[in-house]
Amino acid sequence: MKSLILSVLYGVFLLSPLMIQAKIVSKPLESTTSFIETVDSYESSQTQQQGITVYHPVLGYANYENIVCDSNDNHQRELRHLVTSYCLQHSGKLVDNWCVDTQSNMPLFNAELNQHSMDCHSGGNASIIHVLEFLPSVEHDQQTQQSWLQVATAFGY
């Protein structure tokens, strides 16, 4: 009985940090599908690899990067179409590489595809997709919005 109680306590001790971390990471994304999720699922279907996303909840944004190979150089056109479609569906307008909310003029995300000097094993050129996105959430306090604007400004908004 003593070992059973210790096992349960040990399990709760080990799993509780994982449950807390999962709640923190998933909370901003529960209300909608983000542009990063859209791009990553599209790229995964094309390249069989997922990109890397880093969440910055205090500053209110997520940063995504992925390397794609394209022997026909179609990714620039396809990404532009994906950006335009998603932005318009979410009441945005495109200003350079930024999708901006038409009512609040708040930047929603930035998406860029840049050529890399490396060649791919499968042939063609490597490109790096980089996305910065304001975390989709129903609730953003004034400080988080201000922090996101500072980040967006630092990245050319």
Side-chain angles (χ1 to χ4, degrees), residues 113-128:
L113 180 71
N114 298 309
Q115 295 293 322
H116 192 273
S117 61
M118 149 178 109
D119 291 329
C120 297
H121 294 291
S122 61
N125 298 321
S127 298
I128 298 174

Side-chain angles (χ1 to χ4, degrees), residues 35-36 38-43 46 64 66 68 70 73-87 94 96-97 109-115 127-132:
F35 180 67
I36 287 174
T38 302
V39 168
D40 195 44
S41 63
Y42 172 77
E43 290 304 327
Q46 300 296 311
Y64 169 85
N66 197 354
V68 295
D70 188 4
D73 294 325
N74 290 325
H75 267 89
Q76 187 74 36
R77 183 174 30 84
E78 291 171 0
L79 181 66
R80 195 65 170 158
H81 177 72
L82 190 63
V83 167
T84 303
S85 298
Y86 186 93
C87 186
L94 285 177
D96 296 323
N97 291 327
F109 67 87
N110 170 284
E112 296 181 25
L113 180 71
N114 298 309
Q115 295 293 322
S127 298
I128 298 174
I129 295 175
H130 183 244
V131 177
L132 287 174

Side-chain angles (χ1 to χ4, degrees), residues 29-75:
L29 300 176
E30 65 191 18
S31 65
T32 185
T33 300
S34 72
F35 180 67
I36 287 174
E37 290 172 323
T38 302
V39 168
D40 195 44
S41 63
Y42 172 77
E43 290 304 327
S44 294
S45 70
Q46 300 296 311
T47 64
Q48 286 75 48
Q49 74 177 28
Q50 288 190 310
I52 297 171
T53 304
V54 178
Y55 295 94
H56 303 275
V58 173
L59 298 176
Y61 77 100
N63 184 15
Y64 169 85
E65 288 190 357
N66 197 354
I67 296 176
V68 295
C69 294
D70 188 4
S71 57
N72 299 323
D73 294 325
N74 290 325
H75 267 89

Side-chain angles (χ1 to χ4, degrees), residues 1 13 21 30 40 43 58 79 95 100 104 107 111 125 134 137:
M1 183 67 167
F13 179 76
Q21 183 180 2
E30 65 191 18
D40 195 44
E43 290 304 327
V58 173
L79 181 66
V95 179
V100 180
S104 67
N125 298 321
F134 189 44
S137 175

Side-chain angles (χ1 to χ4, degrees), residues 100-108:
V100 180
D101 185 278
T102 54
Q103 292 182 1
S104 67
N105 269 347
M106 178 75 115
L108 301 174

Side-chain angles (χ1 to χ4, degrees), residues 139-156:
E139 301 173 23
H140 282 295
D141 62 15
Q142 199 66 19
Q143 180 61 41
T144 305
Q145 290 180 15
Q146 193 61 34
S147 296
W148 162 241
L149 281 174
Q150 289 174 348
V151 170
T153 302
F155 281 92

